[in-house]
Amino acid sequence: MSIGLILLVIVGILVLCGVAQRVLDKLRLTDRQALLFVALLLVGGWIPDIPLGNMVRLNIGGALIPIGLCVYLLIKADSAKERVRALTASVISAIAVFFIARWMPAEPEQIWFDPNYLYGLAGGVIAYLMGRSRRGAFIAGVLGVVLADITQAVILWNQGVDQVLRLGGAGALDVVVISGLTAVLLAELVGEIVERVSRGNHRPEDRKFEHGEFVEREGEKDK
């Protein structure tokens, strides 16, 4: 079982245990929706690729389902500004992953680790730095990897190379899962640290959590 599938199983278990509720709330997903998404990724990865013409093959678990979730999250975004920031972060993440792939040795024997893991981690880190929010980071992490694959294929086609573009195939599921999860986990970790710091020395009973931030309780502001 690949690392991407292992991570999906772990995510499914965490959702069932209620551990991921905070993150799911930020992503505008319910437990059932998250479990359905994980199940579709697991099953879709085993379904044969869908041919789109002669040069493109689309994998359901590695591309179609993740892209569909990103579209859903874009629709659920709080503002047009957040959508633009997420899409901009996706492009920047794609550029970074593309150039990392170009810098890797041409011969697989010269690489002592699976480059897919590096692409996923790099995409996730850059997606978080640019996307900032949990939704924006996840969207950028997933779409960045997909856009990088498309860019590479277009360049090869312009050079006259008949390279089939396999969206979501050939280990791409691992990259998408690693990138998306890395981006979300970084956003969650940093967000939690910022929230704790922002509380400062206030006693927990003096503040309450409303609309995604801590505010003073009524009657406490004048004390």
Side-chain angles (χ1 to χ4, degrees):
M1 183 179 290
S2 67
I3 185 65
L5 295 178
I6 293 174
L7 289 175
L8 284 176
V9 172
I10 294 175
V11 169
I13 294 174
L14 292 177
V15 172
L16 286 172
C17 294
V19 178
Q21 188 60 54
R22 175 188 169 92
V23 178
L24 294 179
D25 289 342
K26 296 292 185 180
L27 292 176
R28 299 291 195 274
L29 291 173
T30 64
D31 290 355
R32 290 186 177 181
Q33 290 172 332
L35 290 173
L36 176 61
F37 172 66
V38 170
L40 289 174
L41 283 176
L42 290 171
V43 175
W46 296 96
I47 298 176
D49 295 347
I50 301 174
L52 302 176
N54 296 325
M55 301 301 297
V56 180
R57 299 291 184 272
L58 179 67
N59 185 273
I60 295 178
L64 183 60
I65 301 301
I67 293 174
L69 179 59
C70 288
V71 172
Y72 170 81
L73 294 177
L74 282 171
I75 294 174
K76 288 290 186 177
D78 294 329
S79 64
K81 181 179 179 181
E82 184 179 0
R83 297 186 186 96
V84 171
R85 188 169 59 189
L87 293 175
T88 302
S90 300
V91 173
I92 296 175
S93 178
I95 294 173
V97 172
F98 171 79
F99 279 106
I100 290 174
R102 300 274 289 192
W103 290 333
M104 295 297 290
E107 297 297 330
E109 294 78 9
Q110 300 177 6
I111 306 175
W112 55 273
F113 61 92
D114 190 336
N116 285 335
Y117 302 157
L118 177 60
Y119 302 152
L121 290 172
V125 171
I126 295 169
Y128 160 68
L129 293 175
M130 299 303 303
R132 303 301 295 276
S133 70
R134 278 78 163 176
R135 288 188 300 275
F138 180 85
I139 292 169
V142 172
L143 292 186
V145 171
V146 174
L147 290 174
D149 285 343
I150 294 175
T151 302
Q152 177 64 30
V154 170
I155 291 176
L156 291 176
W157 293 341
N158 288 334
Q159 294 174 348
V161 179
D162 293 332
Q163 176 69 44
V164 176
L165 171 59
R166 300 186 181 279
L167 283 176
L173 176 60
D174 289 348
V175 182
V176 168
V177 172
I178 293 173
S179 182
L181 289 181
T182 299
V184 171
L185 289 176
L186 279 175
E188 178 63 20
L189 177 62
V190 175
E192 178 66 19
I193 293 175
V194 171
E195 284 181 4
R196 289 181 180 275
V197 172
S198 67
R199 290 180 229 177
N201 296 324
H202 289 271
R203 299 191 306 273
E205 62 271 15
D206 292 341
R207 312 189 83 188
K208 59 181 178 179
F209 193 74
E210 283 187 355
H211 307 300
E213 61 181 357
F214 285 93
V215 298
E216 300 288 348
R217 291 183 182 274
E218 293 296 331
E220 298 293 339
K221 298 179 180 180
D222 299 330
K223 290 185 179 181

